[in-house]
Amino acid sequence: VKNDYKKDNSFSNRGMNFEDDIQTSNEFYRSQGLAVIHKKPTPLQIVNVHYPKRSAAVVTEAYFQKPSTTDFNGVYKGMYIDFEAKETKNKTSFPLKNFHAHQIEHMKAVLEQAGISFVLVHFRVHEEIYLVPGTFIVSWYESKENHRKSIPKIEIEENGFPVKTGYHPRIDYLASIDKWINGK
Amino acid sequence: VKNDYKKDNSFSNRGMNFEDDIQTSNEFYRSQGLAVIHKKPTPLQIVNVHYPKRSAAVVTEAYFQKPSTTDFNGVYKGMYIDFEAKETKNKTSFPLKNFHAHQIEHMKAVLEQAGISFVLVHFRVHEEIYLVPGTFIVSWYESKENHRKSIPKIEIEENGFPVKTGYHPRIDYLASIDKWINGK
Ligand SMILES: [Mg+2]
Ligand SMILES: [Mg+2]
């Protein structure tokens, strides 16, 4: 099964990136009362803050911290939704070096709590997006033979769910969740 | 029903604040495989970043942004958990001016998606903590008579659930969720 992210005309040449498109889709979902899903802010370690008179506080020294979780989470029809967005320029596989160990640990913890965990994988060259269940990513990551390698694209196609793109929402991953969870 | 946050000896004089204590409780819950709940990082609008040679990028100008959601979210036994932590020095009531309109909107949206929404209210003078269901907060906030006023403490006691404190976890709000949701 294939899909066509950015191949259709309404979508091309927008100059937006994958995460922005997901955020725009989340805003659409929220505005329609379909789901409440947000991107977590980038965590910063704040070292110095300046408090000028008559104007807003300014952070004058801060450092980027590694996120200890995934990019997005929220709620859809009572279900806890938790996912990571990943892109690759690779044509034939999705390299697992895209993941930090703590992200995998987070996915496992979410799965243990019966949350809906997945990765949205964007193959840039093909302009295709797949929803790949967290269980599949975790088991591939933890198998000794596959560790630190890549998941062949054909495996992603067989174990994942294609994500349709369009104008609103740009990246319709809720439809893919429905197919995955409810088989429709 | 009353409780005794910081009245018991194991807890007093720690010099910690309410949010830190919740975060420590969340770490305990995660370490025990009981729930996966995180505080969202404070959102910052980053204006300038300096990239020194041989060392980490430094944010040199950033401004605090108002969070568009609540403080904490995550998953517990398949349920989407979403809450805000609020403190008051007020003895007899909890002032609703503690809430921004967008936080109330977020709580409503979560409730519409069948998420578990609540507020942990800490009465500092009494050293008592209550889990107050989001439905109660939202309906109080939206009633014309109560708008922009306060919720009397007696109403919080009658409609909320006391939260026990101790050493591990410091603030055992999962136990209060169990009482609320499962009646046990
Ligand atoms: Mg990502
Ligand atoms: Mg708060």
Side-chain angles (χ1 to χ4, degrees):
Chain A
V1 193
K2 292 207 172 188
N3 60 3
D4 57 352
Y5 182 57
K6 278 183 179 157
K7 269 190 184 152
D8 70 89
N9 286 331
S10 68
F11 206 80
S12 57
N13 303 319
R14 287 187 180 276
M16 293 195 72
N17 70 34
F18 187 43
E19 282 211 352
D20 288 338
D21 288 337
I22 295 171
Q23 294 214 62
T24 305
S25 305
N26 288 343
E27 282 162 28
F28 174 78
Y29 289 147
R30 285 200 300 275
S31 71
Q32 302 294 304
L34 295 172
V36 182
I37 295 164
H38 287 268
K39 182 175 186 333
K40 289 169 211 163
T42 305
L44 285 172
Q45 189 200 357
I46 297 170
V47 175
N48 261 309
V49 184
H50 180 55
Y51 299 92
K53 284 177 189 169
R54 292 165 195 278
S55 61
V58 193
V59 174
T60 55
E61 185 183 357
Y63 299 89
F64 294 100
Q65 292 178 302
K66 271 191 191 164
S68 52
T69 64
T70 43
D71 292 330
F72 298 90
N73 77 351
V75 58
Y76 171 52
K77 293 180 183 167
M79 297 181 286
Y80 174 73
I81 304 294
D82 189 293
F83 66 98
E84 178 67 28
K86 297 282 190 197
E87 288 189 289
T88 182
K89 288 177 180 171
N90 210 301
K91 284 179 194 170
T92 56
S93 68
F94 173 59
L96 285 175
K97 67 171 162 50
N98 274 300
F99 288 95
H100 299 292
H102 59 267
Q103 288 181 317
I104 298 288
E105 289 311 310
H106 175 75
M107 290 170 69
K108 285 172 70 175
V110 166
L111 289 165
E112 275 165 27
Q113 287 300 320
I116 305 293
S117 164
F118 58 89
V119 179
L120 289 185
V121 178
H122 177 210
F123 287 97
R124 289 184 67 126
V125 176
H126 303 284
E127 295 297 8
E128 292 170 11
I129 302 170
Y130 295 90
L131 180 158
V132 186
T135 45
F136 180 74
I137 299 283
V138 168
S139 68
W140 196 280
Y141 187 90
E142 294 198 330
S143 80
K144 277 181 187 158
E145 309 93 77
N146 299 323
H147 195 49
R148 289 169 189 276
K149 290 193 187 153
S150 293
I151 305 178
K153 182 164 181 286
I154 184 89
E155 291 278 348
I156 298 275
E157 289 170 20
E158 278 171 14
N159 294 280
F161 298 81
V163 180
K164 280 190 191 145
T165 57
Y167 184 61
H168 269 325
R170 293 193 182 174
I171 297 175
D172 193 8
Y173 66 86
L174 286 190
S176 306
I177 292 175
D178 284 340
K179 275 199 189 115
W180 171 30
I181 305 290
N182 306 316
K184 53 165 190 180
Chain B
V1 195
K2 293 206 170 188
N3 60 3
D4 58 352
Y5 182 57
K6 278 184 179 159
K7 268 189 185 153
D8 71 88
N9 285 333
S10 70
F11 206 79
S12 57
N13 302 320
R14 287 187 180 277
M16 293 195 71
N17 70 35
F18 188 42
E19 282 210 351
D20 288 338
D21 288 336
I22 295 170
Q23 294 214 62
T24 305
S25 305
N26 288 342
E27 281 161 29
F28 173 78
Y29 289 148
R30 286 200 301 275
S31 71
Q32 301 294 304
L34 295 172
V36 182
I37 296 164
H38 286 268
K39 183 175 187 332
K40 289 169 210 162
T42 305
L44 285 172
Q45 189 200 358
I46 297 170
V47 175
N48 260 309
V49 184
H50 180 55
Y51 299 90
K53 283 178 191 166
R54 294 165 193 276
S55 61
V58 192
V59 175
T60 55
E61 185 182 357
Y63 298 90
F64 294 100
Q65 292 179 302
K66 269 190 191 166
S68 52
T69 63
T70 43
D71 293 330
F72 297 90
N73 78 351
V75 59
Y76 171 52
K77 292 181 185 168
M79 298 181 285
Y80 174 73
I81 303 295
D82 189 294
F83 66 98
E84 178 68 27
K86 297 282 192 199
E87 287 189 290
T88 181
K89 288 178 181 172
N90 210 303
K91 285 179 193 170
T92 56
S93 68
F94 174 60
L96 285 174
K97 65 171 164 49
N98 276 299
F99 288 95
H100 300 293
H102 60 265
Q103 288 182 317
I104 299 289
E105 289 312 309
H106 174 75
M107 289 170 69
K108 284 172 70 175
V110 166
L111 289 165
E112 275 164 27
Q113 286 301 320
I116 305 294
S117 165
F118 58 90
V119 179
L120 289 185
V121 179
H122 177 208
F123 287 97
R124 289 184 68 126
V125 176
H126 303 284
E127 295 296 8
E128 293 171 10
I129 302 170
Y130 295 89
L131 180 158
V132 186
T135 45
F136 180 75
I137 298 283
V138 168
S139 68
W140 196 279
Y141 187 91
E142 294 198 328
S143 81
K144 278 180 187 160
E145 311 93 75
N146 300 324
H147 195 50
R148 291 167 187 276
K149 288 193 187 155
S150 292
I151 305 178
K153 183 165 181 284
I154 184 89
E155 291 279 347
I156 299 275
E157 289 171 21
E158 278 171 13
N159 293 281
F161 298 81
V163 180
K164 280 190 192 145
T165 56
Y167 184 61
H168 269 325
R170 292 192 183 176
I171 297 174
D172 194 8
Y173 66 86
L174 286 190
S176 306
I177 292 176
D178 285 340
K179 274 198 189 114
W180 172 30
I181 304 292
N182 306 316
K184 57 166 187 178

